[in-house]
Amino acid sequence: GAVVSQHPSRVICKSGTSVKIECRSLDFQATTMFWYRQFPKQSLMLMATSNEGSKATYEQGVEKDKFLINHASLTLSTLTVTSAHPEDSSFYICSARAWAGGFTGELFFGEGSRLTVL
Amino acid sequence: DAKTTQPTSMDCAEGRAANLPCNHSTISGNEYVYWYRQIHSQGPQYIIHGLKNNETNEMASLIITEDRKSSTLILPHATLRDTAVYYCIVRALVSGNTPLVFGKGTRLSVIA
């Protein structure tokens, strides 16, 4: 399948600091990427839709000033958790839809980034 | 998107076929059935999708009933590495970029 890569896979930070997570589509271009969050033993929850060259669209209850999303190119979207607190500790997953290269719109997901805020 | 219903959990013996059911009785004519799985601490992995015909790929087979109100994902020879949460998602294949909405899925445990 198409490849979506996230970095870092794990990050530990102190409360109050900011953390940036990168999401790259390696073999296709993605005008739109999606960011999900997953707490232990729960399903994935959509946080926001990242659009290349424009502002992200956030789901209800997700603070746009806390979770900054930048989608500056067709292959890269970043999620920055600003002033992180322990309750932000979670598994963050990005995804992108592949239309080219034989794919017909399947969503592919990154490996996920586990954030632990101390 | 139509709602889906899956069993919370299932066990399967290693080497046997794993048959994971999904009910989607309110599915619309333009909605596809997608299956993804999530192995612990990894991102979801696309498995297969179909509209009304049965589909097969290197990972699994998808059997959709004639009335399209239910489907079954079949892993023909389950291995321990197939232990994961399996998500059945129904949505239209749209040209726009819309996300997938995940339910709770079925936790499949493959037992040696």
Side-chain angles (χ1 to χ4, degrees):
Chain A
V3 180
V4 176
S5 179
Q6 278 183 247
H7 178 82
S9 58
R10 292 177 180 271
V11 57
I12 300 173
C13 71
K14 293 181 179 180
S15 185
T17 60
S18 295
V19 174
K20 179 185 286 187
I21 301 170
E22 294 186 345
C23 177
R24 295 180 184 274
S25 56
L26 297 187
D27 49 2
F28 65 100
Q29 293 182 332
T31 55
T32 302
M33 293 184 177
F34 307 101
W35 287 94
Y36 293 81
R37 178 169 54 182
Q38 186 176 34
F39 293 107
K41 297 188 178 181
Q42 294 187 22
S43 189
L44 285 79
M45 295 297 296
L46 180 67
M47 296 177 65
T49 300
S50 169
N51 302 297
E52 188 268 335
S54 64
K55 293 183 178 180
T57 304
Y58 291 82
E59 296 299 300
Q60 190 173 11
V62 178
E63 300 175 57
K64 62 179 182 180
D65 294 330
K66 182 170 185 61
F67 299 99
L68 301 180
I69 292 174
N70 183 276
H71 194 155
S73 78
L74 289 172
T75 59
L76 173 65
S77 175
T78 61
L79 168 68
T80 301
V81 183
T82 63
S83 187
H85 291 284
E87 57 265 30
D88 298 323
S89 298
S90 188
F91 193 51
Y92 292 87
I93 308 166
C94 70
S95 69
R97 192 176 303 282
W99 289 101
F103 299 110
T104 55
E106 297 90 332
L107 260 182
F108 292 94
F109 289 80
E111 311 95 322
S113 299
R114 186 165 300 283
L115 171 63
T116 302
V117 185
L118 302 177
Chain B
D1 296 336
K3 180 181 177 180
T4 62
T5 304
Q6 299 178 253
T8 302
S9 63
M10 293 181 63
D11 292 339
C12 177
E14 187 178 21
R16 304 295 294 270
N19 298 287
L20 293 94
C22 179
N23 286 323
H24 31 78
S25 58
T26 61
I27 191 170
S28 301
N30 66 337
E31 289 184 315
Y32 285 68
V33 180
Y34 287 83
W35 283 85
Y36 283 77
R37 73 179 181 183
Q38 187 180 22
I39 295 170
H40 182 64
S41 292
Q42 297 183 23
Q45 177 187 24
Y46 166 79
I47 301 174
I48 198 167
H49 75 283
L51 181 63
K52 56 182 179 180
N53 297 322
N54 297 337
E55 302 287 343
T56 295
N57 62 20
E58 65 277 6
M59 290 184 67
S61 294
L62 174 60
I63 308 299
I64 303 174
T65 58
E66 192 169 346
D67 63 7
R68 301 209 323 121
K69 293 185 177 182
S70 65
S71 61
T72 302
L73 178 74
I74 301 174
L75 308 178
H77 306 286
T79 69
L80 298 178
R81 288 175 294 181
D82 291 322
T83 293
V85 178
Y86 287 76
Y87 297 97
C88 168
I89 302 169
V90 170
R91 68 185 303 276
L93 181 64
V94 295
S95 58
N97 285 293
T98 54
L100 287 176
V101 177
F102 288 82
K104 296 184 178 181
T106 296
R107 183 174 297 277
L108 175 69
S109 298
V110 180
I111 303 168

